[in-house]
Amino acid sequence: MSTDLTRAHAVALDAADPLGALVDEFDIAPGTIYLAGNSLGPLPRAAATAVADAVREQWGRGLVTSWNKAGWFDLPYRMGDAIAALVGADAGEVVMTDSTGINLFKMVAAATALNPDRRVIVMEGSNFPTNNYVVQGLTRWLGQGHEIRFAESHELIDAIGDDVAVVALTHTHYKSAHILDMAALTARAHAVGALTVWDLCHSAGAMPVALNACDADFAIGCTYKYLNGGPGSPGFAFAAARHHAALDQPLTGWWSHRAPFAFDRDFAPTEGIGRLLTGTQPILSMVAAQAGLELATRAGSDAARAKSMALGALFVDLMAARLPDAGFRLASPRDIAARGGHVAYDHADGYPLMKALISRGVIGDFRAPSTLRFGLSPLYLRYADIWDAVDRLADVVESGLWRAPEFQTAEKVT
Amino acid sequence: MSTDLTRAHAVALDAADPLGALVDEFDIAPGTIYLAGNSLGPLPRAAATAVADAVREQWGRGLVTSWNKAGWFDLPYRMGDAIAALVGADAGEVVMTDSTGINLFKMVAAATALNPDRRVIVMEGSNFPTNNYVVQGLTRWLGQGHEIRFAESHELIDAIGDDVAVVALTHTHYKSAHILDMAALTARAHAVGALTVWDLCHSAGAMPVALNACDADFAIGCTYKYLNGGPGSPGFAFAAARHHAALDQPLTGWWSHRAPFAFDRDFAPTEGIGRLLTGTQPILSMVAAQAGLELATRAGSDAARAKSMALGALFVDLMAARLPDAGFRLASPRDIAARGGHVAYDHADGYPLMKALISRGVIGDFRAPSTLRFGLSPLYLRYADIWDAVDRLADVVESGLWRAPEFQTAEKVT
């Protein structure tokens, strides 16, 4: 526990924060403390400018010529290279495209094809379940008898046996923020002849990820959480260069064709990471994501992680000091090194508590049945914000504000 | 041929144009005549405002709460209902989501599953080939021996035999603008026990489409051509209500789950058209598309088609009158009723001619090896624009401007 939990000390930490200058790069309403960046990151000021320019100049004036002149065609590759640098991949190993779920479909399919004699796919059952839904859809349609072996984090090593084709895991857990050991699990997978697909949705931008150092095979991730890319900004997909020559996935289209403007009747795959593309991408949403990527790049993953851990430690310490007996149970690893960019607490009255806290300007989120999540994103949060957030939560609890009728309704809290 | 091909007559037609008031709803640079809206529609003024608001207010201020408060979650359905009204479908039969290619994958897959004893998929070989690439990827991965039977338009009826599972055709040809007979081909398909997937990329917004009147089964389409949705705005997918109960597709995700916020481990499909969704959508690109959809709705498909045909007739007549012996060969049907929203010409020097024409402010596009395409979109083009476009083309030809060295380079013309 920190020795000094005063607000003055938090302010002093801000004054010494090497990432402090980035805070003003985000456009967050005065008085709002935004702790839901693990769900949707806030607006980088430069994103608003870039989107306005893309709309009025690139679309409005450049029109169809902007596909070349404004580099729209190349965005998946250029954005992919920027993401690659943040997740421990090399240039040419990542593309930005489509949605997280669609990319997972592609990558798990690709992995099964490279391991055709096995039928087991290991996944974490408690993971954000869209991953399960995607792989359930894939395996059902492949019709080759693939089955998902669900295991929880402590069971994973044992679940990865020599019947396993693919290990498809989320690096940082969406609810608990528990970080899986990518190096150990990938090594285990490879030792038994399996391939890995890592979901980096809750990792990219929040911490360094070492895809190539861990010898990861494939990965996917999202850009609207810690990369602050905007609502529903396209996802990304990684394939290690050693797999490119044999890379194959079901969603082939003209963007993955060797000569997209030759209009050949039949498909022939391009070389390299472009094989993961399908069709025309939502350019305005991609352009919006550039600013956030640039800020994450400027911060650097190591510095982001260091501050994220410090913010998390302060939050947990303040919760213990201010609300020791209020029914909050830490639902994330206490070990900072095992915990990602957010902190989760269970509370029997989590739903009205979060609604009341939001009414006080502290925006976190709630996941049924009882989990409050607090995203502690390092690029735009101040240490003083953390202090104020816990202070307001303590006030919500101690004043009984959360018992007010308007916070009990069943309207969804995202 | 029109009796009066003077510019004064064109101006008179504009004065009487019931859609004339829509022209100023688009932000097109003065002096530019934009004839590539069949590739990428121009910017509706309201789109710029809507995107700016979505960025600064919905994302910047509403943050994660905008998923509910700004209706982001419902956008695929609301936009889908608006599209449905333009393509002869009912509310609840269309969603806006993902890319054209990905939606084609879903719909052809869904159709094959509903016709499990057949293995032939009929497609038009000369179609925009990404459709081929998508279905080639699908059939290869299904691994059930499906094969594509390619046929050209005049061969299609005969190609649809009683071994056919799915007929997957593009309503309006991307290059020639030839319109297939949706009613007759769908009837033929149903007569032999096949299902249909119609691609409306070059139809939606340019003409009335009668999906339900034709008894179509499935359809997909794009929103960035005649619907002016912005670069890469998401596509749409239609499934006739009668197929909803048995509707199944491979790309399942949390947005197609019965209870997406219950976080159940296993997939269970929602009811209705939501089954075609997968994951989180690119919201800014969807918001951008609303303005164009509203303008298309305001115009109405019948009025849009009437003006589009009149613009096309004027263009063809002017080309015949002004450039009768310049080597242009009409590559679209001469019959206006069989021709969609653009007109194509072949010319041995099509490439430098189009580059030179673009340098004069008339933006069309070129498709290898020799095709010039002129999109005659009815919402923002004036009759006088058509007159001026042909006038400038005649000048490019007669002056020999197109022979200038800068127009001979191999840089791609989109």
Side-chain angles (χ1 to χ4, degrees):
Chain A
M1 189 175 287
S2 297
T3 48
D4 189 344
L5 292 176
T6 63
R7 191 173 194 285
H9 183 63
V11 170
L13 291 172
D14 284 320
D17 177 10
L19 299 186
L22 291 178
V23 174
D24 288 332
E25 301 286 344
F26 290 84
D27 182 7
I28 298 173
T32 294
I33 299 174
Y34 191 58
L35 305 184
N38 53 313
S39 178
L40 171 67
L43 171 65
R45 293 183 193 282
T49 317
V51 172
D53 179 72
V55 170
R56 294 191 180 277
E57 296 303 319
Q58 296 180 4
W59 178 14
R61 291 294 171 264
L63 292 156
V64 72
T65 68
S66 288
W67 281 108
N68 291 312
K69 289 186 183 164
W72 290 348
F73 273 128
D74 297 328
L75 274 174
Y77 296 94
R78 282 188 284 127
M79 303 284 279
D81 284 349
I83 295 166
L86 293 169
V87 296
D90 292 329
E93 290 187 314
V94 176
V95 278
M96 183 176 184
T97 188
D98 297 332
S99 74
T100 304
I102 286 167
N103 290 332
L104 183 68
F105 184 93
K106 296 177 196 170
M107 302 323 301
V108 174
T112 63
L114 292 172
N115 214 350
D117 300 327
R118 309 269 189 104
R119 288 294 174 271
V120 175
I121 300 169
V122 170
M123 302 186 76
E124 191 175 12
S126 68
N127 187 22
F128 189 70
T130 202
N131 292 34
N132 307 343
Y133 307 160
V134 166
V135 177
Q136 286 170 339
L138 172 68
T139 57
R140 200 158 46 78
W141 279 78
L142 281 180
Q144 298 172 7
H146 286 91
E147 60 172 289
I148 300 173
R149 177 177 298 157
F150 286 115
E152 291 310 302
S153 56
H154 62 284
E155 307 162 329
L156 283 168
I157 287 285
D158 289 339
I160 302 171
D162 61 11
D163 57 349
V164 173
V166 182
V167 176
L169 297 171
T170 296
H171 183 229
T172 302
H173 196 279
Y174 84 104
K175 203 162 171 178
S176 72
H178 178 240
I179 302 172
L180 294 180
D181 187 337
M182 181 182 288
L185 288 161
T186 301
R188 170 69 179 179
H190 290 175
V192 300
L195 293 168
T196 53
V197 182
W198 285 99
D199 175 348
L200 305 179
C201 278
H202 289 267
S203 300
M207 65 188 73
V209 178
L211 286 173
N212 279 336
C214 292
D215 210 23
D217 300 288
F218 305 108
I220 59 126
C222 131
T223 63
Y224 50 77
K225 298 178 185 292
Y226 294 100
L227 293 173
N228 306 302
S233 55
F236 63 87
F238 157 87
R242 67 183 175 280
H243 292 306
H244 288 192
L247 192 57
D248 184 24
Q249 55 88 14
L251 289 156
T252 49
W254 68 308
W255 285 40
S256 44
H257 194 278
R258 180 170 302 168
F261 288 94
F263 302 107
D264 294 335
R265 193 192 73 172
D266 297 315
F267 183 72
T270 187
E271 298 299 314
I273 196 69
R275 292 189 178 186
L276 300 184
L277 300 177
T278 305
T280 306
Q281 290 301 300
I283 296 301
L284 299 180
S285 285
M286 293 193 90
V287 167
Q290 281 184 298
L293 259 181
E294 283 167 13
L295 292 173
T297 303
R298 208 199 302 174
S301 296
D302 289 325
R305 175 64 171 158
K307 182 175 172 187
S308 171
M309 292 168 80
L311 293 173
L314 180 61
F315 190 91
V316 170
D317 289 349
L318 283 165
M319 285 290 287
R322 297 288 302 274
L323 291 161
D325 303 308
F328 291 94
R329 189 183 66 76
L330 184 64
S332 294
R334 195 164 292 276
D335 174 10
I336 298 176
R339 194 171 68 212
H342 71 272
V343 178
Y345 284 86
D346 283 329
H347 193 291
D349 298 305
Y351 178 81
L353 281 165
M354 182 54 78
K355 284 201 76 168
L357 185 62
I358 290 172
S359 79
R360 295 290 312 278
V362 179
I363 302 177
D365 76 5
F366 175 78
R367 286 287 178 251
S370 61
T371 303
L372 303 99
R373 297 191 306 176
F374 302 95
L376 305 171
S377 192
L379 271 55
Y380 49 83
L381 288 171
R382 297 183 175 89
Y383 292 90
D385 292 330
I386 304 303
W387 199 96
D388 292 340
V390 177
D391 187 55
R392 290 191 212 174
L393 179 58
D395 187 61
V396 161
V397 171
E398 289 155 10
S399 69
L401 175 69
W402 63 276
R403 297 184 191 275
E406 68 262 36
F407 303 130
Q408 317 303 317
T409 59
E411 185 199 321
K412 191 165 56 215
V413 179
T414 53
Chain B
M1 189 175 286
S2 299
T3 49
D4 189 343
L5 292 175
T6 63
R7 190 174 194 283
H9 183 64
V11 170
L13 290 173
D14 283 319
D17 177 9
L19 299 186
L22 292 177
V23 174
D24 287 334
E25 301 286 344
F26 290 85
D27 183 7
I28 298 173
T32 293
I33 299 175
Y34 190 58
L35 305 184
N38 54 312
S39 179
L40 172 66
L43 170 64
R45 293 184 194 281
T49 317
V51 172
D53 179 73
V55 169
R56 293 192 181 277
E57 296 303 318
Q58 296 180 3
W59 177 15
R61 290 294 170 264
L63 293 156
V64 73
T65 68
S66 287
W67 281 107
N68 291 311
K69 289 184 182 163
W72 290 348
F73 272 128
D74 297 328
L75 274 174
Y77 295 95
R78 283 188 285 127
M79 304 284 280
D81 285 348
I83 295 165
L86 292 169
V87 295
D90 293 327
E93 290 187 314
V94 176
V95 279
M96 182 175 185
T97 188
D98 297 332
S99 74
T100 304
I102 286 167
N103 290 331
L104 184 67
F105 184 93
K106 295 178 197 171
M107 301 325 301
V108 174
T112 64
L114 291 172
N115 215 350
D117 299 328
R118 310 268 188 104
R119 288 293 173 272
V120 176
I121 300 170
V122 170
M123 302 186 76
E124 191 175 12
S126 69
N127 188 21
F128 189 70
T130 200
N131 292 33
N132 306 343
Y133 307 160
V134 166
V135 176
Q136 287 170 338
L138 172 68
T139 57
R140 200 159 46 77
W141 279 78
L142 281 180
Q144 298 171 7
H146 287 91
E147 58 171 291
I148 300 174
R149 178 177 297 157
F150 286 115
E152 290 310 302
S153 56
H154 62 284
E155 306 163 329
L156 283 168
I157 286 284
D158 289 340
I160 302 171
D162 62 10
D163 56 349
V164 174
V166 181
V167 176
L169 297 172
T170 296
H171 183 229
T172 302
H173 197 280
Y174 84 104
K175 203 163 171 177
S176 72
H178 178 241
I179 301 173
L180 294 179
D181 187 337
M182 181 183 288
L185 288 161
T186 301
R188 170 70 178 179
H190 290 176
V192 300
L195 293 168
T196 54
V197 182
W198 285 99
D199 175 348
L200 306 178
C201 278
H202 288 269
S203 301
M207 65 189 71
V209 178
L211 286 173
N212 280 336
C214 293
D215 210 22
D217 300 289
F218 305 108
I220 60 125
C222 132
T223 62
Y224 50 77
K225 298 179 186 291
Y226 294 100
L227 293 173
N228 305 302
S233 55
F236 63 87
F238 157 86
R242 67 182 177 280
H243 291 307
H244 288 193
L247 192 58
D248 184 25
Q249 55 88 14
L251 289 155
T252 50
W254 68 307
W255 284 40
S256 44
H257 194 278
R258 181 169 301 167
F261 287 94
F263 302 107
D264 295 335
R265 192 192 74 174
D266 297 316
F267 183 70
T270 188
E271 298 298 314
I273 196 69
R275 291 188 179 187
L276 300 183
L277 301 178
T278 305
T280 306
Q281 291 302 299
I283 296 300
L284 299 180
S285 284
M286 293 194 90
V287 167
Q290 281 185 297
L293 259 181
E294 284 167 13
L295 292 173
T297 302
R298 209 200 301 176
S301 295
D302 289 324
R305 175 64 172 158
K307 181 175 173 187
S308 170
M309 292 168 80
L311 293 173
L314 180 62
F315 189 92
V316 171
D317 290 349
L318 284 165
M319 286 289 288
R322 297 288 302 274
L323 291 162
D325 303 308
F328 292 94
R329 189 183 67 76
L330 184 64
S332 294
R334 194 164 295 277
D335 173 11
I336 298 175
R339 193 171 69 211
H342 71 272
V343 178
Y345 285 85
D346 282 330
H347 193 291
D349 297 306
Y351 178 81
L353 281 165
M354 181 54 77
K355 284 201 77 168
L357 184 63
I358 290 172
S359 80
R360 294 291 311 277
V362 179
I363 303 177
D365 76 5
F366 175 78
R367 287 288 178 252
S370 62
T371 304
L372 302 98
R373 296 192 306 177
F374 301 96
L376 305 171
S377 191
L379 272 53
Y380 48 84
L381 287 172
R382 296 182 177 89
Y383 291 89
D385 292 330
I386 303 303
W387 199 95
D388 293 340
V390 177
D391 187 58
R392 289 191 214 175
L393 180 57
D395 187 63
V396 161
V397 171
E398 291 155 10
S399 69
L401 175 69
W402 64 275
R403 297 185 191 275
E406 66 262 38
F407 303 130
Q408 316 303 316
T409 58
E411 184 198 322
K412 190 166 56 218
V413 179
T414 53

